[in-house]
């Protein structure tokens, strides 16, 4: 595999591109020559108080080959308008980075439907809408001889392990893993790739963690040491045509590059022919091979409990 080629002439949309990991990805893509639509409404971590000046300031700072798109991406038609703004400004759409997300945590027994809906809308329905709007054009461009497009979805280890109080966030991110797989399949004939990255990085979100115990406090201190540019480097590589990897789930934690497994059956037992699936038979079957293959209830925070390598 060759090194990342110049992205000169390639056109990217980065959602949530005005802060944190998204901003780091915007800077890295732009540094490699890509034109970038910074799609960010400048909201709080919980998705409130929009501020269009946040994305506008980044576009002004980076200058040539960037535009800010400041609409709330959850509004009907905003995803389509983001794609139109890329085409209007730069004539094509080659790279989509689904990075924008919000957090509204609460234990399931205190959760509200309104918060669930807003988190699913932002973290899962926006990526769907953006890909539904961008992929027809990406297919058309590839048929007309343009190098195939690249899609990167920013997921979270919370969606793979689960985490206390993150029903909506973890469900949306797990959904985004499923979307990554299907988009990789649906776009394979057009040679457009779609991969996911579970990032670990110091951002305003990490800073906002209110530790409830020593383990969480240690997690926060470790997370605050990890610069976001490592995530940006991998996202940029996956946005280039230096590879044809697709449908994969990566993790980046400082200098650690991880590949996650994807759920497949890990144990199998066969009931004897004619046997009823009664309680005793099920208990016997589960107690054997299946018990050995079961997954414990550790959170992502408990699993990644070592010092980051930065
Ligand atoms: N920071 C970490 O360690 C970490 C860990 C796991 C996953 N992630 C994921 O990485 C991504 C970036 O996280 P971050 O920590 O940089 O977050 P952040 O809050 O610093 O940045 C997110 C950006 O998305 C924008 N945004 C949110 N909702 C929007 C909407 N409806 N329309 C337009 N823009 C919107 C916000 O304005 C903000 O600028 C997210 O997908 C997050 O879930 C981060």
């Amino acid at each position: 595999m060759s090194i990342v080629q110049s992205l000169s002439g390639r056109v990217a949309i980065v959602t949530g591109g005005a802060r944190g990991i998204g901003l780091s990805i915007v800077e890295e893509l732009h540094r490699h020559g890509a034109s970038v639509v910074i799609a960010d409404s400048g909201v709080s971590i919980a998705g409130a108080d929009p501020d269009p000046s946040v994305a506008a300031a980044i576009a002004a700072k980076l200058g040539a080959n960037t535009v800010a798109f400041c609409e709330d991406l959850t509004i009907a038609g905003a995803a389509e308008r983001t794609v139109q703004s890329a085409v209007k400004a730069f004539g094509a759409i080659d790279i989509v980075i689904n990075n924008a997300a919000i957090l509204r945590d609460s234990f399931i027994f205190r959760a509200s439907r309104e918060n669930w809906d807003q988190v699913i809308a932002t973290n899962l329905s926006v990526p769907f809408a953006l890909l539904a709007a961008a992929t027809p054009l990406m297919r058309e461009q590839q048929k007309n001889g343009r190098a195939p497009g690249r899609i990167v979805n920013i997921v979270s280890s919370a969606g793979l392990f689960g985490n206390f109080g993150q029903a909506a966030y973890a469900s949306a991110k797990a959904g985004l893993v499923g979307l990554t797989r299907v988009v990789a399949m649906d776009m394979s004939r057009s040679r457009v790739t779609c991969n996911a990255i579970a990032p670990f990085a110091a951002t305003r979100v990490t800073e906002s963690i209110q530790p409830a115990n020593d383990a969480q406090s240690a997690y926060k201190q470790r997370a605050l040491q990890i610069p976001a540019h490592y995530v940006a480097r991998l996202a940029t590589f996956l946005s280039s045509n230096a590879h044809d990897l697709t449908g994969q789930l990566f993790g980046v934690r400082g200098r650690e590059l991880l590949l996650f497994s994807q759920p497949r059956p890990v144990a199998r037992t066969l009931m004897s022919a004619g046997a009823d699936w009664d309680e005793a038979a099920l208990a016997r079957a589960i107690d054997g091979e299946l018990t050995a293959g079961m997954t414990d209830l550790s959170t992502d925070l408990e699993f990644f409990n070592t010092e980051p390598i930065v």
Side-chain angles (χ1 to χ4, degrees):
M1 226 180 300
S2 65
I3 52 164
V4 175
Q5 301 144 336
S6 164
L7 293 175
S8 177
R10 304 295 276 170
V11 180
I13 293 172
V14 182
T15 71
R19 291 199 187 97
I21 292 169
L23 172 57
S24 201
I25 295 172
V26 164
E27 289 171 339
E28 191 74 1
L29 289 173
H30 188 250
R31 197 168 70 82
H32 281 84
S35 301
V36 189
V37 175
I38 304 158
D40 196 313
S41 57
V43 286
S44 69
I45 293 171
D49 306 323
D51 179 356
S53 72
V54 182
I58 302 298
K61 186 176 146 218
L62 292 176
N65 297 334
T66 61
V67 292
F69 182 89
C70 308
E71 277 189 47
D72 173 356
L73 292 168
T74 64
I75 290 174
E80 291 76 3
R81 287 190 290 277
T82 315
V83 172
Q84 284 156 14
S85 85
V87 173
K88 187 165 167 242
F90 307 120
I93 174 67
D94 300 300
I95 299 162
V96 177
I97 313 280
N98 280 306
N99 164 82
I102 61 167
L103 276 166
R104 292 191 183 180
D105 292 355
S106 59
F107 287 113
I108 188 65
F109 42 84
R110 290 194 198 115
S112 80
R113 179 63 190 256
E114 190 200 339
N115 286 343
W116 166 272
D117 285 345
Q118 202 50 43
V119 171
I120 298 292
T122 310
N123 301 10
L124 182 55
S125 301
V126 165
F128 160 77
L130 194 52
L131 294 178
T135 48
L137 203 56
M138 291 170 120
R139 290 182 77 208
E140 206 52 42
Q141 290 176 174
Q142 195 270 340
K143 274 190 207 151
N144 294 333
R146 198 172 169 96
R150 298 288 179 251
I151 298 162
V152 178
N153 295 326
I154 304 298
V155 297
S156 170
S157 54
L160 309 172
F161 287 75
N163 198 2
F164 292 104
Q166 295 202 309
Y169 181 79
S171 300
K173 294 297 190 178
L176 193 50
V177 173
L179 184 64
T180 303
R181 293 286 304 174
V182 173
V183 172
M185 292 168 188
D186 287 354
M187 295 303 287
S188 59
R189 284 189 68 181
S190 306
R191 296 177 33 237
V192 172
T193 65
C194 181
N195 293 287
I197 302 176
F200 298 80
T203 67
R204 65 176 183 163
V205 180
T206 339
E207 278 162 22
S208 75
I209 295 173
Q210 302 285 340
N213 53 44
D214 288 351
Q216 286 179 16
S217 175
Y219 179 86
K220 178 176 177 177
Q221 289 318 311
R222 283 195 291 265
L224 286 175
Q225 300 169 36
I226 310 175
H229 70 253
Y230 293 110
V231 180
R233 296 273 156 81
L234 178 64
T236 301
F237 176 78
L238 293 175
S239 299
S240 79
N241 292 84
H243 75 95
D244 54 9
L245 306 166
T246 196
Q248 302 307 309
L249 178 51
F250 296 95
V252 178
R253 188 171 179 259
R255 289 198 285 120
E256 283 176 89
L257 177 59
L258 310 167
L259 178 72
F260 284 97
S261 63
Q262 300 184 33
R264 297 287 180 271
V266 291
R268 176 175 181 268
T269 184
L270 200 59
M271 304 291 277
S272 26
D276 268 347
W277 282 58
D278 62 18
E279 192 181 321
L282 279 171
R284 252 195 327 276
I286 291 170
D287 199 30
E289 293 99 304
L290 267 52
T291 302
M294 285 187 183
T295 307
D296 69 24
L297 255 194
S298 53
T299 65
D300 58 337
L301 190 150
E302 288 159 344
F303 185 87
F304 291 101
N305 64 358
T306 54
E307 281 300 305
I309 304 163
V310 291

